[in-house]
Coordinates of all heavy atoms in Angstrom, one line a residue:
G1 N 5.3 4.2 16.8 CA 5.6 4.1 18.2 C 6.4 2.9 18.6 O 7.4 3.0 19.4
F2 N 6.1 1.7 18.1 CA 6.9 0.5 18.4 C 8.3 0.7 17.9 O 9.3 0.4 18.6 CB 6.3 -0.7 17.7 CG 5.1 -1.3 18.4 CD1 3.8 -1.1 18.0 CD2 5.4 -2.1 19.5 CE1 2.8 -1.7 18.7 CE2 4.3 -2.7 20.2 CZ 3.0 -2.5 19.8
A3 N 8.5 1.3 16.7 CA 9.9 1.4 16.2 C 10.7 2.4 17.0 O 11.8 2.2 17.3 CB 9.8 2.0 14.7
T4 N 10.0 3.5 17.5 CA 10.7 4.5 18.3 C 11.1 4.0 19.6 O 12.2 4.3 20.1 CB 9.8 5.8 18.4 OG1 9.5 6.2 17.1 CG2 10.6 6.9 19.1
Q5 N 10.2 3.3 20.3 CA 10.5 2.7 21.6 C 11.6 1.7 21.4 O 12.5 1.6 22.3 CB 9.2 2.0 22.1 CG 9.4 1.5 23.6 CD 9.7 2.7 24.6 OE1 9.0 3.6 24.6 NE2 10.8 2.6 25.3
G6 N 11.6 0.9 20.4 CA 12.7 0.0 20.1 C 14.1 0.8 20.0 O 15.1 0.4 20.5
L7 N 14.0 1.9 19.2 CA 15.2 2.7 19.0 C 15.7 3.3 20.4 O 16.9 3.3 20.7 CB 15.0 3.8 18.0 CG 16.1 4.9 17.9 CD1 17.3 4.2 17.3 CD2 15.6 6.0 16.9
A8 N 14.7 3.8 21.2 CA 15.0 4.3 22.5 C 15.7 3.3 23.4 O 16.6 3.6 24.1 CB 13.7 4.9 23.1
N9 N 15.1 2.1 23.4 CA 15.7 1.0 24.2 C 17.1 0.7 23.8 O 18.0 0.4 24.6 CB 14.8 -0.2 24.1 CG 13.5 0.0 24.8 OD1 13.3 0.9 25.5 ND2 12.6 -1.0 24.5
H10 N 17.4 0.7 22.4 CA 18.7 0.5 21.9 C 19.7 1.6 22.3 O 20.8 1.3 22.8 CB 18.6 0.4 20.4 CG 19.9 0.2 19.7 ND1 20.6 -1.0 19.8 CD2 20.7 1.0 18.9 CE1 21.7 -0.9 19.1 NE2 21.8 0.3 18.6
I11 N 19.3 2.8 22.3 CA 20.1 3.9 22.7 C 20.4 3.8 24.2 O 21.6 4.1 24.6 CB 19.5 5.3 22.3 CG1 19.4 5.5 20.8 CG2 20.2 6.4 22.9 CD1 18.7 6.7 20.3
A12 N 19.4 3.5 24.9 CA 19.6 3.4 26.4 C 20.7 2.4 26.8 O 21.4 2.6 27.8 CB 18.3 3.0 27.1
K13 N 20.9 1.4 26.0 CA 21.9 0.4 26.2 C 23.3 1.0 26.1 O 24.3 0.5 26.7 CB 21.7 -0.8 25.3 CG 20.6 -1.7 25.6 CD 20.6 -2.9 24.7 CE 19.5 -3.9 25.2 NZ 19.5 -5.2 24.3
W14 N 23.4 2.1 25.4 CA 24.7 2.7 25.2 C 25.1 3.6 26.4 O 26.2 4.1 26.6 CB 24.7 3.6 24.0 CG 24.7 2.8 22.7 CD1 23.7 2.0 22.2 CD2 25.8 2.7 21.7 NE1 24.1 1.4 21.0 CE2 25.3 1.8 20.7 CE3 27.0 3.2 21.6 CZ2 26.1 1.5 19.6 CZ3 27.8 2.9 20.5 CH2 27.4 2.1 19.5
G15 N 24.1 3.9 27.3 CA 24.3 4.7 28.5 C 23.8 6.1 28.4 O 23.4 6.6 27.4
Q16 N 23.9 6.8 29.6 CA 23.4 8.1 29.7 C 24.1 9.1 28.7 O 23.4 10.0 28.2 CB 23.5 8.6 31.1 CG 22.8 9.9 31.4 CD 21.3 9.9 31.2 OE1 20.7 8.9 31.6 NE2 20.7 10.9 30.6
K17 N 25.3 8.9 28.5 CA 26.1 9.8 27.7 C 25.5 9.9 26.3 O 25.4 11.0 25.7 CB 27.6 9.3 27.5 CG 28.4 10.1 26.6 CD 29.8 9.5 26.5 CE 30.6 10.3 25.5 NZ 32.0 9.7 25.3
Y18 N 25.0 8.8 25.8 CA 24.4 8.7 24.4 C 23.0 9.2 24.4 O 22.5 9.8 23.4 CB 24.6 7.3 23.8 CG 26.0 7.0 23.6 CD1 26.7 6.3 24.5 CD2 26.6 7.4 22.4 CE1 28.1 6.0 24.3 CE2 28.0 7.1 22.2 CZ 28.7 6.4 23.1 OH 30.0 6.1 22.9
K19 N 22.3 9.1 25.5 CA 20.9 9.7 25.6 C 21.0 11.2 25.6 O 20.2 11.9 25.1 CB 20.2 9.2 26.9 CG 19.9 7.7 26.9 CD 19.4 7.1 28.2 CE 18.1 7.6 28.5 NZ 17.5 7.0 29.8
D20 N 22.1 11.7 26.2 CA 22.3 13.1 26.3 C 22.8 13.7 25.0 O 22.5 14.9 24.7 CB 23.3 13.5 27.4 CG 22.9 13.2 28.8 OD1 21.6 13.1 29.0 OD2 23.7 13.1 29.7
K21 N 23.4 12.9 24.1 CA 23.8 13.3 22.8 C 22.6 13.7 22.0 O 22.6 14.6 21.2 CB 24.6 12.3 22.1 CG 26.1 12.2 22.5 CD 26.8 11.1 21.7 CE 28.3 11.1 22.1 NZ 29.0 12.2 21.5
G22 N 21.6 12.9 22.1 CA 20.3 13.2 21.5 C 20.1 12.6 20.1 O 20.9 12.1 19.5
V23 N 18.8 12.9 19.6 CA 18.4 12.4 18.3 C 17.8 13.6 17.6 O 17.0 14.4 18.2 CB 17.3 11.3 18.4 CG1 16.8 10.9 17.1 CG2 17.9 10.1 19.2
A24 N 18.2 13.8 16.3 CA 17.6 14.9 15.5 C 16.5 14.3 14.6 O 16.6 13.2 14.1 CB 18.7 15.5 14.6
I25 N 15.4 15.0 14.5 CA 14.3 14.6 13.7 C 13.8 15.6 12.7 O 13.7 16.8 13.0 CB 13.1 14.3 14.6 CG1 13.5 13.3 15.7 CG2 11.9 13.7 13.8 CD1 12.4 13.1 16.8
A26 N 13.7 15.1 11.4 CA 13.2 16.0 10.3 C 12.0 15.2 9.7 O 11.8 14.0 9.9 CB 14.3 16.2 9.3
Y27 N 11.2 16.0 8.9 CA 10.1 15.4 8.2 C 9.9 16.1 6.9 O 10.2 17.3 6.8 CB 8.8 15.4 9.1 CG 8.4 16.7 9.5 CD1 7.5 17.5 8.8 CD2 8.9 17.3 10.7 CE1 7.1 18.7 9.3 CE2 8.5 18.5 11.2 CZ 7.5 19.2 10.5 OH 7.1 20.4 10.9
D28 N 9.2 15.5 5.9 CA 9.0 16.1 4.7 C 7.5 16.4 4.6 O 6.8 16.5 5.6 CB 9.4 15.2 3.5 CG 8.7 13.9 3.3 OD1 7.7 13.7 4.1 OD2 9.0 13.2 2.4
S29 N 7.0 16.6 3.3 CA 5.6 17.1 3.1 C 4.6 16.0 3.0 O 3.4 16.3 2.8 CB 5.6 17.9 1.8 OG 6.0 17.0 0.7
R30 N 4.9 14.7 3.2 CA 4.0 13.7 3.0 C 2.8 13.7 4.1 O 3.0 14.3 5.2 CB 4.7 12.3 3.1 CG 5.4 12.0 1.9 CD 6.0 10.6 1.9 NE 6.6 10.4 0.6 CZ 6.0 9.8 -0.5 NH1 4.7 9.4 -0.3 NH2 6.6 9.7 -1.6
N31 N 1.7 13.1 3.7 CA 0.6 13.0 4.7 C 1.1 12.3 6.0 O 1.7 11.3 5.9 CB -0.6 12.3 4.1 CG -1.2 13.1 2.9 OD1 -1.2 14.3 2.9 ND2 -1.7 12.3 1.9
M32 N 0.8 12.9 7.1 CA 1.1 12.4 8.4 C 2.6 12.5 8.8 O 2.9 12.1 10.0 CB 0.7 10.9 8.6 CG -0.8 10.7 8.4 SD -1.8 11.6 9.6 CE -1.4 10.8 11.1
S33 N 3.4 13.2 8.0 CA 4.8 13.3 8.3 C 5.0 14.1 9.6 O 5.8 13.7 10.5 CB 5.6 13.9 7.2 OG 5.9 12.9 6.2
E34 N 4.4 15.3 9.7 CA 4.6 16.1 10.8 C 4.1 15.4 12.1 O 4.7 15.4 13.2 CB 3.9 17.4 10.7 CG 4.1 18.4 11.8 CD 3.6 19.8 11.5 OE1 3.0 20.0 10.5 OE2 3.7 20.7 12.4
E35 N 2.9 14.8 12.0 CA 2.3 14.1 13.2 C 3.3 12.9 13.6 O 3.5 12.8 14.8 CB 1.0 13.5 12.8 CG -0.1 14.6 12.6 CD -0.1 15.1 11.1 OE1 0.9 14.9 10.4 OE2 -1.2 15.7 10.7
F36 N 3.8 12.1 12.7 CA 4.7 11.0 13.1 C 6.0 11.6 13.7 O 6.5 11.0 14.6 CB 5.0 10.2 11.8 CG 3.9 9.4 11.3 CD1 3.9 8.9 10.0 CD2 2.7 9.1 12.1 CE1 2.9 8.1 9.5 CE2 1.7 8.4 11.6 CZ 1.7 7.9 10.3
A37 N 6.4 12.7 13.2 CA 7.7 13.3 13.7 C 7.5 13.7 15.2 O 8.3 13.5 16.0 CB 8.1 14.5 12.9
K38 N 6.3 14.3 15.5 CA 6.1 14.8 16.8 C 5.9 13.6 17.7 O 6.3 13.5 18.9 CB 4.9 15.7 16.9 CG 4.6 16.3 18.3 CD 3.7 17.5 18.3 CE 4.4 18.7 17.8 NZ 3.6 19.9 17.9
T39 N 5.1 12.6 17.3 CA 5.0 11.3 18.0 C 6.3 10.7 18.4 O 6.6 10.3 19.5 CB 4.1 10.3 17.2 OG1 2.8 10.8 17.0 CG2 4.1 8.9 17.9
T40 N 7.2 10.6 17.4 CA 8.6 10.1 17.6 C 9.3 10.9 18.6 O 9.9 10.3 19.6 CB 9.3 10.1 16.2 OG1 8.6 9.3 15.3 CG2 10.7 9.6 16.4
A41 N 9.3 12.2 18.5 CA 10.0 13.1 19.4 C 9.5 12.9 20.9 O 10.3 12.8 21.8 CB 9.8 14.6 19.0
L42 N 8.2 12.8 21.1 CA 7.7 12.7 22.5 C 8.0 11.4 23.1 O 8.2 11.2 24.3 CB 6.2 13.0 22.5 CG 5.9 14.5 22.1 CD1 4.3 14.7 22.1 CD2 6.5 15.5 23.0

């Protein structure tokens, strides 16, 4: 959560255009990968 909020704040500095471009998220089979991916997305 801390890392994602930091990334979000960084992207916000680039402006609305870059927030609209978006972020793609993938995950592998490791324990908690899917949960962390959804946490990140939200």
Side-chain angles (χ1 to χ4, degrees):
F2 277 103
T4 305
Q5 187 61 54
L7 174 62
N9 293 347
H10 179 71
I11 292 173
K13 286 186 174 181
W14 289 68
Q16 188 62 42
K17 176 182 176 181
Y18 292 94
K19 293 171 72 173
D20 291 342
K21 282 179 175 290
V23 177
I25 303 173
Y27 58 92
D28 69 2
S29 60
R30 284 184 176 271
N31 295 327
M32 300 300 295
S33 282
E34 184 175 0
E35 292 87 340
F36 291 162
K38 184 165 285 189
T39 295
T40 298
L42 294 178

